[in-house]
Every structure is written in structure tokens, then in C-alpha cells.
Amino acid sequence: MPRTVVFAALFAAAAALIQPSAAETPVERGRYLVNGIASCGNCHSPQQPEGTVSGPPLSGGNAIASPAFTAYPPNLTPDRDTGLGSWTADQIVTAIREGVTPDGKVLRPPMPVAFYRGMSDRDAYAIAAYLQSLAPVRNQVPASSYRQPTLPGYGGPVGAIPDPDPSDKVAYGHYLAQMGHCMLCHTPRDANGRIDTSLLGAGGVPVGDAGIITPNITPDPKFGIGAWTDGQIADALTKGVRPDGSHLAPPMPWPYLATMSDQDIGAITAYLRTLKPIAQ
């Protein structure tokens, strides 16, 4: 075989390896994100207490209660009366990244809009495409109630956002962790109820009414995950198992994270190792 033909064949094979998602459709990408790192069903699907989905996925979730609100995650299927069936892709993306519905309402907690504002155009529209591809399910969830003022918004239009570079492992891991809204549960709030960035990943946040306190995920070797191997972090993320064999409780979305690629789990691990170690 001529040398030029050999090199051409090798180049084609290499290109296929470094661009595995070239043939991935928006719906396929959206499915991967919604059922993986974004773990939308963790709130928007009906569930048993142990986290098992007990009804049509993404048709509306159980009540989420806190001292500030009782929220009912809405139906994300394309049912025209009770879901997103009358929304355009642009309107879905605006709701995800800017927290504003087609009728001008501001989405309220626990919807993690602040973490979604950095989502790339491709990924946001892929999620919209996937949600629009679902079978419509008619399910009207109860109205949420709040004991706190409505936020004025999340900062306005986000503009065009390019895809992150997966070759920058830490930056890509940060991007995925933002989409996974990890710090929504794993970071304490300040006196005003906002994420305390000085304690990013320190845990200690009560979740639900079962006495669950989120763990420290900073690289502190005693109080956090600094002494864990990459494999042990991957097991916690994708199997819900700590190094000592104990199991993580819901709402830790490990069944969703278990669908992610090894590359993406590795990127999240690399990002977590860059957090400031916090001994608490």
C-alpha cells in the first residue's frame, strides 16, 4: 500500500477517535445530558423515597420542601396543556439559562438557573430538542408556594456561548459540574441565603426532611475527598458508594451520573481536586 494511502487511513482513524460526537444528533446529545450530568429527572420525575422513578419520566416531580418554599417541579414533556408542548426551542433555552418563562415569569428555587447560565448554545438547544422529542404526558402538578420574595431575575440575556474545550480537563470538569449544579447542595449559604463562594464544596447543607447533610467534596484529606483515589471518586459519583463501602443517599444523583462517559467523570474529578481544601 502506498505511504500516502497509509497516512490518509491513519489520519481518518485518528480523526474518528478525537471527534467521537461528530455524528451525534442534538436529540442524542440532549438525552445524554438530561439523563446524565443535568439529572433533570432527579427533580422532574415522580420518585419513591429511595429515588426509584415511579411514573413517566420528566412528567413532574414530588414536592421539594424547605423553610422557604414547597416546590413542585413541573412537567417537562411536550404535553400542550400541562407541559412544554406550546413552547418553542428558544423559549425552553431561555427558561433554562435565563430563568424566564414564555409568559414572563421568573423561575424560582430550587431550579438552578444560576448554574445553567454558562451552558453552551449547543448543549442548551440539545436539551430542548430532547425534551421536545419525548412522548407527551398529561400531568398537571400542584402550584408551588413560597415564603420568600420572588427574585428579580438572574442577570438578563446570556448571549451566545460556545462549546467548552474537552481537552482542557479542569475547565471542562468545571463546566460539567456547573451543569450538574453540584454546588447547589454541597456549598453552605451566607447570611443572605446565597451560595457562600468562600466555602465552595464544603458541604454541611441539610437536604429534605430525612436529616441528610451533604458531605464535604473539597480535597481536604481529613474532612473531604482529598485522600480518595480517582477510582473511589468515580465510584461515589457513578455507584453511590464511598471508599468505606457505605452508600450515598438521595438526592445524590448517582444513577444519572452512572450513564456518563469515563472521560466526563474524569474531568469532574480533575475539577474537584482543584477546589480549595476546607477542613470542616
Side-chain angles (χ1 to χ4, degrees):
M1 182 180 293
R3 180 178 297 180
T4 54
V5 176
V6 173
F7 280 133
L10 291 174
F11 178 80
L17 288 174
I18 64 176
Q19 294 183 322
S21 62
E24 189 178 41
T25 67
V27 170
E28 289 169 342
R29 176 68 176 171
R31 180 185 297 113
Y32 175 75
L33 297 174
V34 167
N35 297 317
I37 186 60
S39 56
C40 302
N42 207 32
C43 289
H44 289 274
S45 294
Q47 297 181 43
Q48 298 291 348
E50 78 282 359
T52 304
V53 175
S54 57
L58 301 173
S59 64
N62 303 346
I64 299 174
S66 82
F69 57 78
T70 300
Y72 291 88
N75 183 347
L76 299 184
T77 75
D79 179 72
R80 291 193 63 84
D81 296 324
T82 66
L84 306 182
S86 64
W87 294 28
T88 67
D90 286 341
Q91 289 171 334
I92 294 173
V93 169
T94 297
I96 291 171
R97 298 197 303 189
E98 299 173 16
V100 180
T101 65
D103 58 2
K105 292 180 180 177
V106 175
L107 294 178
R108 305 183 71 176
M111 179 65 178
V113 175
F115 292 90
Y116 292 160
R117 287 181 63 80
M119 191 184 299
S120 75
D121 295 351
R122 171 179 175 254
D123 283 347
Y125 279 95
I127 288 175
Y130 174 63
L131 295 178
Q132 291 178 319
S133 78
L134 298 173
V137 177
R138 185 174 182 82
N139 180 38
Q140 182 65 59
V141 303
S144 300
S145 62
Y146 289 85
R147 295 168 287 281
Q148 63 183 20
T150 301
L151 294 170
Y154 296 90
V158 300
I161 302 178
D163 279 344
D165 180 4
S167 69
D168 186 338
K169 196 171 183 179
V170 171
Y172 188 56
H174 176 254
Y175 174 82
L176 292 172
Q178 287 290 97
M179 192 184 300
H181 45 282
C182 306
M183 300 308 168
L184 181 68
C185 290
H186 288 279
T187 302
R189 304 298 193 273
D190 63 19
N192 296 313
R194 294 187 291 260
I195 294 289
D196 188 343
T197 55
S198 69
L199 295 173
L200 199 66
V205 181
V207 178
D209 54 6
I212 297 170
I213 305 295
T214 60
N216 183 331
I217 57 172
T218 75
D220 182 83
K222 181 178 180 181
F223 294 92
I225 59 175
W228 296 19
T229 66
D230 287 0
Q232 288 170 335
I233 294 174
D235 283 347
L237 291 173
T238 64
K239 299 176 183 178
V241 179
R242 301 182 184 90
D244 64 4
S246 60
H247 289 263
L248 300 172
M252 179 62 187
W254 67 263
Y256 294 92
L257 304 185
T259 69
M260 295 177 65
S261 69
D262 292 343
Q263 177 188 10
D264 285 359
I265 292 295
I268 293 173
T269 299
Y271 163 65
L272 293 177
R273 293 203 184 282
T274 70
L275 297 176
K276 180 181 73 174
I278 298 174
Q280 71 171 43

